Amino acid sequence: KSRDVVDDVPELSLDEEESLDDEDLSESLEDGDGGDGDGGGDGDDDDDDSGSGSDSEEEDDDDDDDVDALDVPSTANGGGAGASASQQVPRGISGQGKVVFCLENASLETAKVGKGYQLLNCDDHATFLKRHKRDPSDYRPDIVHQTLLQILDSPLNKAGRVSAVYVHTQKNVLISVNPSIRIPRTFKRFCGLMVQLLQKLSIRASNGPDKLLKVIKHPITKHLPVNVPRVGFSFSSETIVRFQDYVTSQKKRLDSAGIVYVLGAMAHGKIDMSYTDTHVSVSEYPLSAAYCASRITNAMENIWNIV
């Protein structure tokens, strides 16, 4: 059905922070009732056993791998290169508006394929997934990779205006991504990094002790800043907005409090909107998560005069 673009959107309401129940980290690739899918290319025909990434929420301080950190401007709360990703409240929220991104329903699942653990994807593991009655089209970690690159490479982030990024997977694993991390450019290296993270639960910076990637405990609302509006994005929303006009109308509030954006990082389906204050659509057409993130970062850069 046709939907009208809304020019005047009511101001965002700030409801009290909702409390969500803690859930255990799920084991990856148990036998399920998923149907056989058509997605993906040739699968891996080695003898394989399904395995799990990690079921513990405790940190592993001994065997963390190292990755590079970006040199981002420091903030009032001690952000900057190598800033800790384990902060309860994202850096620099008070005094200057910041943006928090939450990527929901991300497909990041490991399994033992052949001799080692791999991050499952529709191109390389279609045969493996069909053998375990899973739909290969649901396994799209490339969406998370593209979206993270878009957010972390943006001038918005390099100007120090992204305070935190959280990734919530389909297997109910919650990952904190420090904005100062430099995500691998290639998908193969990204997959290797995610496998290490899900097995060791944290990744350290190569130039210091700070953790740039970390598996954290639920609920996600525990890690979000308080008294900050939370906006979800969904093509099914009845409210379509011209996003640049939308954030411009909220500029005063954004300057002082910041904002939380919730995006879906999956190929299809709906995300959990239970902890958002409102949800909107920014186009009359379905958009990829990466392009939706680019619209957000561009609009925020414009209102904050970031070139």
Side-chain angles (χ1 to χ4, degrees):
K1 62 182 179 179
S2 62
R3 301 176 297 170
D4 296 330
V5 177
V6 177
D7 291 322
D8 297 326
V9 181
E11 287 196 359
L12 301 174
S13 60
L14 297 178
D15 298 332
E16 292 186 1
E17 184 175 19
E18 299 181 20
S19 176
L20 303 179
D21 295 332
D22 287 339
E23 298 184 23
D24 295 330
L25 299 179
S26 300
E27 292 186 4
S28 65
L29 210 60
E30 298 174 346
D31 288 339
D33 297 327
D36 293 339
D38 298 325
D42 295 334
D44 193 322
D45 293 328
D46 292 337
D47 291 334
D48 9 76
D49 297 318
S50 63
S52 61
S54 174
D55 299 326
S56 171
E57 290 179 341
E58 298 299 324
E59 300 173 22
D60 186 344
D61 293 329
D62 297 326
D63 298 319
D64 297 321
D65 288 87
D66 297 340
V67 292
D68 293 333
L70 290 174
D71 185 13
V72 296
S74 61
T75 62
N77 286 352
S84 173
S86 62
Q87 300 176 66
Q88 190 87 350
V89 178
R91 54 179 181 157
I93 286 297
S94 60
Q96 188 181 45
K98 300 281 180 174
V99 180
V100 177
F101 286 93
C102 301
L103 306 183
E104 286 284 345
N105 285 3
S107 176
L108 296 175
E109 184 176 345
T110 63
K112 189 175 183 181
V113 182
K115 297 181 180 180
Y117 283 91
Q118 298 181 22
L119 190 69
L120 297 175
N121 68 83
C122 63
D123 290 326
D124 299 325
H125 308 106
T127 300
F128 177 86
L129 292 167
K130 290 178 181 179
R131 185 181 303 160
H132 290 83
K133 299 182 179 180
R134 298 300 178 99
D135 185 355
S137 64
D138 290 335
Y139 290 79
R140 295 286 308 279
D142 58 293
I143 296 176
V144 186
H145 183 222
Q146 294 166 5
T147 308
L148 286 176
L149 286 176
Q150 175 60 50
I151 294 171
L152 299 176
D153 285 352
S154 67
L156 182 71
N157 182 48
K158 293 178 179 180
R161 287 296 193 120
V162 176
S163 62
V165 180
Y166 297 102
V167 178
H168 188 199
T169 75
Q170 294 173 352
K171 298 303 261 183
N172 205 31
V173 178
L174 185 59
I175 300 169
S176 173
V177 181
N178 191 296
S180 61
I181 190 174
R182 186 179 186 274
I183 290 292
R185 308 288 100 180
T186 64
F187 180 63
K188 184 176 181 180
R189 292 188 61 197
F190 172 77
C191 289
L193 182 65
M194 291 299 103
V195 170
Q196 293 173 7
L197 171 64
L198 293 173
Q199 289 181 341
K200 300 184 178 181
L201 303 183
S202 62
I203 302 291
R204 291 185 184 276
S206 60
N207 59 350
D210 301 306
K211 294 180 179 179
L212 300 179
L213 290 169
K214 179 183 176 184
V215 175
I216 58 178
K217 291 186 177 182
H218 294 274
I220 191 172
T221 52
K222 174 183 177 182
H223 306 278
L224 298 179
V226 296
N227 297 326
V228 172
R230 303 167 184 172
V231 179
F233 292 83
S234 174
F235 174 68
S236 62
S237 173
E238 295 293 332
T239 305
I240 306 179
V241 298
R242 293 183 176 89
F243 195 67
Q244 185 63 66
D245 297 338
Y246 180 71
V247 295
T248 300
S249 67
Q250 307 290 336
K251 185 177 185 302
K252 185 174 181 181
R253 175 170 290 179
L254 298 178
D255 286 344
S256 60
I259 194 167
V260 175
Y261 291 125
V262 183
L263 310 175
M266 66 287 186
H268 48 77
K270 295 184 178 180
I271 63 175
D272 177 20
M273 292 286 187
S274 62
Y275 63 93
T276 62
D277 301 314
T278 186
H279 63 281
V280 300
S281 175
V282 294
S283 175
E284 296 179 344
Y285 307 98
L287 303 177
S288 67
Y291 184 76
C292 187
S294 73
R295 282 206 167 184
I296 294 172
T297 55
N298 289 341
M300 301 304 293
E301 288 159 7
N302 288 336
I303 67 167
W304 285 334
N305 296 319
I306 300 172
V307 180

